[in-house]
């Protein structure tokens, strides 16, 4: 299996622009997680899905952030409008079941100018 | 609520020396505990996990960790460091049950291995 796939790997955008991050989980995995990693706040869980349904979005910073999972093989994390403080590495992870190992993608490094 | 404290943001050892990375947790319920490793420009990889079975957990690459409830600790050790162990290590806690996948991570410890 190719593992968790994220795109783009790097994104540079200007403040106010819309940013869309994409994730393809490992086939057969029912859980998908979005994390954000920054120097100041470390690694934070933003939201996770089970069978394409959002289970817990309490980590989503504010209404500018939204996440969707239209099918079992694709998820997006959207920031609109983006701000410089959103600059971070965003990771997607998936697991077969909630209690099983989470496999992380390589991350998307976002820079908002 | 669960939380994790990793003592020491940087640890430096010589090749062949003992590796000890410290993690203390806080949890209102019996916790599930994890150690992950992150190599530069990569995602996290699971080293090992404690899920209320044996208190001494063996993981990949020769690492192991011991769950000590009385000390609320889950320190990571490796008897002999290798250059390839240089990376950042994260301790994480989950409350288990239906929230098993909801991990809370520590701030990370960067391990440097000197020749």
């Amino acid at each position: 299996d190719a593992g968790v796939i994220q795109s783009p790997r790097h994104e540079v955008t200007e403040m106010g622009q819309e940013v869309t991050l994409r994730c393809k989980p490992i086939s057969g995995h029912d859980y998908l997680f979005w994390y954000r990693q920054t120097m100041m706040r470390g690694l934070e869980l933003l939201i996770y899905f089970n069978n394409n349904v959002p289970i817990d979005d309490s980590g989503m910073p504010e209404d500018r952030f939204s996440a969707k999972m239209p099918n079992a093989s694709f998820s997006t994390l959207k920031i609109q409008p983006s701000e410089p403080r959103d600059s971070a590495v965003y990771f997607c992870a998936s697991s077969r079941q909630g209690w099983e190992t989470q496999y992380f993608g390589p991350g998307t490094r976002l820079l908002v100018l | 609520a669960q939380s994790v404290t990793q003592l020491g943001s940087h640890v430096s050892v010589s090749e062949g020396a003992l590796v000890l990375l410290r993690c203390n947790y806080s949890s209102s319920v019996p916790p599930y505990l994890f150690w992950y490793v992150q190599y530069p420009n990569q995602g996290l990889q699971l080293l090992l996990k404690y899920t209320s079975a044996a208190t001494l957990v063996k993981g990949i690459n020769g690492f192991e960790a011991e769950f000590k409830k009385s000390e609320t600790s889950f320190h990571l050790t490796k008897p002999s460091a290798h250059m390839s162990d240089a990376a950042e290590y994260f301790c994480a806690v989950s409350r288990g049950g239906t929230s098993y996948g909801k991990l809370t991570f520590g701030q990370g410890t960067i391990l440097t291995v000197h020749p």
Side-chain angles (χ1 to χ4, degrees), chain A residues 9 33 35 37 41-43 45 48 56 58 91 98-102 104-105 109, chain B residues 36 38 41-46 49 88 90 98-103 105-107:
Chain A
R9 291 294 309 274
F33 306 83
Y35 292 89
Q37 185 178 36
R41 300 177 66 88
L43 199 63
L45 175 66
Y48 74 96
D56 189 330
S58 59
F91 288 103
W99 58 86
E100 296 193 29
T101 299
Q102 293 183 27
F104 282 72
R109 190 172 296 273
Chain B
Y36 280 83
Q38 184 179 28
N41 299 315
Q42 294 186 27
L44 279 69
Q45 179 184 3
L46 182 69
K49 61 184 177 183
E88 188 164 15
F90 293 90
T98 56
S99 299
Y100 185 94
K102 190 171 181 178
L103 299 177
F105 285 87
Q107 287 296 311

Side-chain angles (χ1 to χ4, degrees), chain B residues 19-30:
Chain B
V19 175
L20 170 60
L21 305 181
R22 301 177 188 271
C23 172
N24 287 89
Y25 68 90
S26 172
S27 178
S28 56
V29 298

Side-chain angles (χ1 to χ4, degrees), chain A residues 40-55:
Chain A
M40 291 298 294
R41 300 177 66 88
L43 199 63
E44 306 171 279
L45 175 66
L46 300 178
I47 185 172
Y48 74 96
F49 296 83
N50 177 25
N51 290 322
N52 314 335
V53 176
I55 302 300

